[in-house]
Amino acid sequence: MKAQVFNDGRKAHTTKIAVTAMSAVAAETATFPVDLIKTRLQLHGESLVSSRRISAVRVVAEILRNDGILGLYKGLSPAIIRHMFYTPIRIINYEFLRNSLVPADHTLSLSSKAIIGGISGVISQVVASPADLVKVRMQADSRMASQGLQPRYCGPFDAFNKIIRTEGVRGLWKGVLPNVQRAFLVNMGELACYDHAKRFVINNNIANDNIYAHTLSSIMSGLSATTLSCPADVIKTRMMNQAADKQGNCKYRNSYDCLVKTVRVEGLKALWKGFFPTWARLGPWQFVFWVSYEKFRQIAGLSSF
């Protein structure tokens, strides 16, 4: 009897991992071009030659002109690899902690959910940070190519190999601190807000537990996650993009140094560079992910999130 319960629990756990990964891959593929634009905007201003103002429209035009439509998906492979680990770990961790802390007929406060979401995000980001590093560098490489410079990497596996060879295994976790800070803020806003908003919508009879409730909750989740995480995202992107020169020196010593230099050179507004592309990505990402995830759970015979 105990063995049957154990097997059923393991099967349900495996199913959750599978449906989470599938939903994450669908959401990432659908919204990746916006993430690329956001990264380009955040990196703009690092170089002294980048003095002219740049917009999302100009970034898209530049990508299409130099790389064609496929240029909008530069770095998709490591992004998908990242989400195969990152999203299942954070979603399943959050659900496990939430359900373990309270009885079935009670709910956690928003602040408690925010802490659980943040912790889940930190754990998952530490595991997935190497793939995130490769994704950022490959996205930045497409910008270098458009400027007539030689790209550093010819693919995700080449990037992994070169980073390990030139920067060591620890180099794969470069920028992990700002990465973890961002993950804490994103998941604090995303998971807690979606969970709380969904229950608010259902409990107040605004909508049943269906696509309408999931859509409303995902919109609120995306907005809160973007507002909280954008400054950390800018710092994370710049820290992860920098590579050591021949003397082994880097532009930024740490995330605090990056923060100070960014604000000093570009002003406080630079911390929210790419806010609208970030929101434009997180909103659809949240919608595609949560709607498909809830549907996949229903098809698989699992309870609603």
Side-chain angles (χ1 to χ4, degrees):
M1 184 66 178
K2 288 183 178 180
Q4 181 64 37
V5 172
F6 174 77
N7 288 333
D8 289 345
R10 186 169 62 178
K11 183 179 179 181
H13 194 70
T14 303
T15 303
K16 285 182 182 179
I17 293 174
V19 298
T20 306
M22 285 191 299
S23 301
V25 169
E28 189 69 18
T29 304
T31 61
F32 187 81
V34 185
D35 185 53
L36 176 63
I37 296 165
K38 176 208 72 175
T39 300
R40 291 282 195 94
L41 287 171
Q42 290 174 337
L43 292 176
H44 180 75
E46 283 195 299
S47 172
L48 293 176
V49 300
S50 303
S51 57
R52 65 189 181 119
R53 293 180 62 85
I54 192 169
S55 65
V57 174
R58 180 172 289 178
V59 169
V60 173
E62 185 179 84
I63 293 171
L64 294 176
R65 183 173 61 252
N66 293 295
D67 303 314
I69 192 71
L70 292 179
L72 293 171
Y73 286 90
K74 183 80 170 182
L76 178 61
S77 298
I80 288 178
I81 294 171
R82 170 183 179 262
H83 272 286
M84 295 291 286
F85 295 95
Y86 175 71
T87 301
I89 292 173
R90 69 190 180 98
I91 296 293
I92 294 172
N93 245 1
Y94 176 86
E95 187 176 13
F96 172 77
L97 291 173
R98 181 195 65 188
N99 295 343
S100 299
L101 291 175
V102 293
D105 56 341
H106 290 74
T107 58
L108 286 174
S109 64
L110 179 59
S111 58
S112 297
K113 290 177 181 177
I115 293 172
I116 292 173
I119 292 172
S120 300
V122 167
I123 295 170
S124 59
Q125 188 56 60
V126 170
V127 174
S129 195
D132 203 16
L133 175 74
V134 171
K135 181 196 77 170
V136 169
R137 294 215 180 164
M138 287 187 66
Q139 288 177 334
D141 261 15
S142 62
R143 185 182 69 145
M144 293 173 63
S146 69
Q147 295 173 344
L149 302 175
Q150 181 67 32
R152 295 170 290 184
Y153 316 111
C154 59
F157 295 107
D158 179 57
F160 276 115
N161 288 331
K162 285 182 177 176
I163 291 170
I164 292 173
R165 189 165 62 248
T166 60
E167 303 172 48
V169 174
R170 292 179 62 182
L172 291 172
W173 276 268
K174 180 172 287 185
V176 69
L177 180 58
N179 222 357
V180 162
Q181 292 168 344
R182 176 188 178 273
F184 183 89
L185 294 170
V186 166
N187 287 281
M188 184 174 69
E190 178 187 331
L191 296 180
C193 186
Y194 176 83
D195 189 10
H196 212 72
K198 177 184 167 185
R199 274 149 185 76
F200 176 85
V201 168
I202 295 171
N203 292 339
N204 287 275
N205 299 317
I206 299 173
N208 294 322
D209 191 357
N210 54 29
I211 190 172
Y212 301 109
H214 305 157
T215 300
L216 287 172
S217 302
S218 68
I219 291 172
M220 289 182 272
S221 172
L223 182 58
S224 63
T226 304
T227 304
L228 286 170
S229 69
C230 203
D233 194 29
V234 171
I235 301 304
K236 179 216 76 167
T237 299
R238 294 189 174 193
M239 285 291 294
M240 296 184 79
N241 180 58
Q242 68 171 349
D245 58 22
K246 293 181 179 179
Q247 288 74 40
N249 299 318
C250 292
K251 184 174 182 178
Y252 309 115
R253 294 191 303 272
N254 49 49
S255 56
Y256 178 74
D257 183 51
C258 181
L259 172 66
V260 171
K261 287 180 177 177
T262 298
V263 173
R264 182 185 300 152
V265 175
E266 303 170 57
L268 192 62
K269 286 184 177 180
L271 295 178
W272 276 270
K273 261 187 177 178
F275 176 86
F276 288 107
T278 301
W279 187 26
R281 182 192 184 237
L282 271 178
W285 198 100
Q286 297 288 319
F287 170 74
V288 175
F289 173 77
W290 287 112
V291 171
S292 61
Y293 180 56
E294 297 275 18
K295 190 64 178 177
F296 285 148
R297 284 178 70 112
Q298 182 184 1
I299 294 171
L302 300 171
S303 61
S304 178
F305 178 76

